[in-house]
Amino acid sequence: MTDPLTVEGLTVRVPGRRPGPAIVDDVSLSVRRGEVLGIVGESGSGKTTLARAIMGLIPAAAGRIAVGGVRLPDLSERSFRRLRREVALIFQSPAGSFNPRLRVDAILNEAVRGLGGRRDAAALLAMVGLDPGLLDRYPHALSGGQARRVAIARALAADPAVVIADEPTAGLDVSAQGEMMNLLMDLRDTSGTGIVCITHNLPVMRHCSDRVAVMYLGRLVEIGPTHAVATAPLHPYTQALLAAEPIPDPARRRTEPPVRGEVPSLFARPAGCEFHLRCPRTTEKCRVELPVLRDIGAGRAVRCHSPLGMAA
Amino acid sequence: MSLLKVRDLSVSYGAQAALNSVSLSVGHGEIVGIVGESGSGKSTLALAVPRLLPSIARVTGGSIVLDGVELLTLDEAALARVRGSGVAMVFQDPMTSFSPLLPIGRQLQAFMWRERLTARSARGRIVDMLADVGIADPDRRIDAYPHELSGGMLQRVAIAAALLARPALIVADEPTTALDVTTEAQILHLLRDIRDRHGAAILVISHQLGVIAEICDRVAVMYGGTIVEQGPVGALFRRPAHPYTQALLACEPALLGDNMRRLPVIAGLPPRPDLSGCRFADRCPHADASCRASVPPLRSAGDGHAFLCQRAAA
């Protein structure tokens, strides 16, 4: 079966009279039906920019996008209008993405009409477990949790094949985090929607995603089935991310921070492998030659000259 | 003797209570964590200590004693002397902790105003302090503007600023929330290191149990404006006594077995301010009518470990 969304070689540059450095550099990935794909990275990794470029909200410098196996003829606004029926985006702060002058039913109906959907607003609310009594509320009268659910309901307006959620758990307390992810996983299980979760929260992705992609400085450095990536990471950066998360167990304190340095600026991208300044395994080759993302089987790929647990 | 002793502190914003009779102490050189969800009152407690609460907040009762001095009755002039050398703050977002218009060195000088240093010796101390908090190339970085530094570096500068006044207590309100996770680990390490080398006590506010477990000696868990459990980190994480603490730990993704495909949640909503009795009763699996009728007693789970519940086994 064809994947509902495929992205090839997507590149986004810092805008300007002369295009600047790449924020998203040559990213290729596909989203499968009924999976949660986690895209994990720190700030500056380009994960939000990737989502926005896929939706056509910011212009891409290069790349090809296919929806349901059909390639968009170009990256024009007209093409993206078609894509947006099939791919929906949930913005990072849902409450801020509503028009404060519209009631919930108008917010939902606007999306249904604009995208040519068939569901009515009450049915959409029911899909996210909200009472239709909320339909005549204004956004400010919704609780944070209700607003997040309405944002998901709006994304479902035209029965999309793929939903991209940008930082669905950022700023949430741990219990609200669980509620949000459970809702997205239910959606995957009941309607077969492909879900993309853009997040910096690797511990949550460990449990909620089927596959995970790790981004660093605009590039995909590792992708694979979540369990494999989390238990036997191939890229040293993935390993650092896994080790950096503080564990709520005082008996497992670290004596040393797991990785040195900070994410470099896009305007000062290190030569060779972009992680080489922070990597414990750096060799001469890493300083000069950019590794390619290579397929190593079992659905896994890594961009590293000497991946962990493999002969170089 | 404790360095900081907060007793029965109550604070309200207008008619809405934010803190209900909170008691907490911090010993010399001790790192104490306050953990809770948003709205639990942890930031109100953090800001109350250096008397930085917004003007609409009213302290309705209790006392805050730092090094034997009652802070709640001090006038502004006396408070100005306590802030800095008594208690210093490190805020959540380092990007907004500094003026964008001045180099960081100029801004750090202000933290030593009391010492009337010459420009040269002030600069020397700042460079030393920047090196001390792990800023590479401090001679050059001292003249950098905030936008020229990364978030992690700026948070190091904010910690240096706090240390320049030689405080007995540093209050750090969500010091790593705005930072990336690989940077967070470094800043947490720095805070522990600062305590070890400078002897400053630290009160850390966080919504992340992982942050607390990583650096604190003791921890207080807040819910609905009260401290529902406190104790040494080892005991509290190993044997959480309050049902809320147990629920929080049960929700931690990092502690779950692999591939749950479903995350645990705490059912129900955060407490209404007008709730009587135990504030967690509506969400608690063990609650009965008696929990809603009366304020739960403070019980001991041994060795400085106490919790506020009448139902749970100690």
Side-chain angles (χ1 to χ4, degrees):
Chain A
M1 195 155 50
T2 47
D3 293 328
L5 176 68
T6 304
V7 173
E8 271 176 73
L10 196 67
T11 299
V12 180
R13 295 190 173 279
V14 176
R17 223 173 311 154
R18 281 191 313 146
I23 309 167
V24 170
D25 195 4
D26 193 23
V27 169
S28 301
L29 49 83
S30 56
V31 185
R32 301 174 187 159
R33 267 184 64 76
E35 76 164 349
V36 173
L37 170 66
I39 297 184
V40 180
E42 297 183 282
S43 49
S45 64
K47 54 194 193 301
T48 293
T49 305
L50 173 66
R52 290 174 165 259
I54 291 174
M55 299 301 295
L57 300 176
I58 47 174
R64 288 189 297 266
I65 299 176
V67 176
V70 180
R71 180 169 293 170
L72 301 187
D74 49 28
L75 300 179
S76 66
E77 178 59 23
R78 209 184 136 98
S79 297
F80 282 117
R81 274 179 197 278
R82 244 199 56 215
L83 173 139
R84 288 180 205 135
R85 284 179 226 274
E86 298 295 325
V87 184
L89 177 64
I90 302 172
F91 290 92
Q92 186 167 143
S93 69
S97 70
F98 298 139
N99 181 341
R101 292 157 160 271
L102 295 184
R103 298 176 200 262
V104 169
D105 63 344
I107 288 171
L108 295 175
N109 282 324
E110 188 181 45
V112 172
R113 258 198 328 275
L115 295 167
R118 289 181 315 271
R119 289 183 196 278
D120 70 10
L124 287 172
L125 279 193
M127 285 175 73
V128 294
L130 286 181
D131 188 278
L134 295 178
L135 282 173
D136 49 16
R137 294 254 182 106
Y138 284 99
H140 73 263
L142 300 173
S143 73
Q146 288 167 342
R148 283 191 294 276
R149 283 168 188 263
V150 172
I152 298 176
R154 179 172 63 177
L156 300 178
D159 288 310
V162 173
V163 170
I164 303 177
D166 188 7
E167 293 281 11
T169 61
L172 297 186
D173 289 318
V174 61
S175 173
Q177 231 173 51
E179 211 178 298
M180 181 75 180
M181 289 314 303
N182 289 344
L183 197 58
L184 290 175
M185 286 188 286
D186 285 345
L187 193 61
R188 166 193 68 187
D189 297 339
T190 56
S191 63
T193 313
I195 313 269
V196 180
C197 271
I198 308 240
T199 180
H200 63 277
N201 197 332
L202 195 50
V204 165
M205 275 310 109
R206 257 185 107 127
H207 300 290
C208 302
S209 67
D210 303 288
R211 289 191 304 144
V212 66
V214 181
M215 288 187 74
Y216 188 74
L217 224 55
R219 293 190 180 131
L220 219 51
V221 298
E222 178 163 5
I223 185 165
T226 303
H227 184 76
V229 173
T231 51
L234 295 169
H235 199 286
Y237 177 62
T238 311
Q239 188 184 44
L241 265 188
L242 285 164
E245 207 60 53
I247 300 168
D249 180 356
R252 286 154 76 189
R253 271 184 193 178
R254 298 159 295 193
T255 48
E256 283 293 319
V259 60
R260 59 182 187 240
E262 289 186 68
V263 182
S265 157
L266 282 171
F267 291 89
R269 181 188 287 278
C273 169
E274 50 275 324
F275 191 58
H276 85 255
L277 292 171
R278 308 175 71 192
C279 185
R281 298 159 64 86
T282 300
T283 63
E284 195 45 45
K285 191 178 178 189
C286 306
R287 291 191 190 95
V288 292
E289 190 185 321
L290 174 67
V292 295
L293 188 70
R294 61 182 158 124
D295 218 313
I296 62 136
R300 304 188 70 178
V302 63
R303 187 194 286 276
C304 178
H305 290 305
S306 55
L308 297 159
M310 289 174 68
Chain B
M1 201 193 86
S2 299
L3 169 66
L4 173 73
K5 220 170 171 61
V6 176
R7 291 206 35 203
D8 299 324
L9 185 68
S10 295
V11 173
S12 57
Y13 296 107
Q16 180 136 346
L19 290 183
N20 297 300
S21 194
V22 165
S23 297
L24 177 82
S25 63
V26 180
H28 289 274
E30 191 178 33
I31 305 184
V32 175
I34 299 174
V35 68
E37 296 176 284
S38 46
S40 63
K42 57 192 192 302
S43 281
T44 298
L45 177 56
L47 290 176
V49 173
R51 296 266 313 270
L52 289 173
L53 287 171
S55 55
I56 57 157
R58 228 158 20 92
V59 175
T60 53
S63 84
I64 303 174
V65 175
L66 182 74
D67 234 350
V69 179
E70 170 61 60
L71 301 186
L72 287 178
T73 52
L74 289 186
D75 60 21
E76 274 302 320
L79 266 178
R81 285 192 292 275
V82 170
R83 293 183 188 135
S85 59
V87 45
M89 288 285 303
V90 173
F91 293 98
Q92 175 169 341
D93 186 357
M95 296 291 177
T96 57
S97 297
F98 294 94
S99 161
L101 299 177
L102 294 172
I104 55 159
R106 288 274 299 283
Q107 302 189 48
L108 292 191
Q109 259 179 39
F111 289 82
M112 300 180 293
W113 62 276
R114 216 173 274 119
E115 301 182 36
R116 303 183 191 287
L117 300 169
T118 62
R120 181 184 299 174
S121 61
R123 190 176 168 92
R125 254 195 73 199
I126 292 170
V127 168
D128 290 347
M129 191 58 84
L130 289 177
D132 196 41
V133 296
I135 301 267
D137 208 359
D139 292 306
R140 203 165 53 84
R141 290 277 162 64
I142 187 174
D143 298 315
Y145 286 85
H147 76 268
E148 297 174 290
L149 302 178
S150 68
M153 275 202 271
L154 271 182
Q155 197 61 303
R156 287 178 193 271
V157 175
I159 292 168
L163 287 171
L164 279 171
R166 300 195 173 98
L169 173 70
I170 296 174
V171 177
D173 189 4
E174 300 271 7
T176 59
T177 303
L179 305 178
D180 281 321
V181 59
T182 55
T183 312
E184 171 179 79
Q186 297 167 15
I187 295 295
L188 293 178
H189 203 254
L190 174 66
L191 285 173
R192 211 163 50 189
D193 187 47
I194 289 298
R195 184 273 304 268
D196 294 346
R197 289 185 297 113
H198 293 258
I202 307 178
L203 185 62
V204 186
I205 317 298
S206 180
H207 68 284
Q208 273 181 283
L209 286 168
V211 166
I212 301 293
E214 183 82 15
I215 63 168
C216 295
D217 304 313
R218 283 194 305 121
V219 53
V221 181
M222 290 196 73
Y223 184 80
T226 54
I227 292 178
V228 295
E229 179 164 4
Q230 60 175 307
V233 278
L236 190 137
F237 278 82
R238 211 165 34 246
R239 292 184 305 277
H242 195 282
Y244 176 65
T245 314
Q246 293 167 356
L248 261 190
L249 276 164
C251 283
E252 264 304 321
L255 294 179
L256 295 172
D258 239 353
N259 266 328
M260 297 287 291
R261 295 184 74 84
R262 187 116 208 119
L263 294 177
V265 299
I266 306 174
L269 297 170
R272 298 189 312 274
D274 55 346
L275 221 56
S276 60
C278 170
R279 314 192 125 253
F280 189 56
D282 282 349
R283 307 172 80 179
C284 180
H286 312 294
D288 63 11
S290 67
C291 298
R292 292 180 180 87
S294 59
V295 176
L298 184 67
R299 291 162 61 199
S300 169
D303 214 12
H305 184 181
F307 64 105
L308 210 59
C309 178
Q310 54 184 338
R311 299 273 303 157

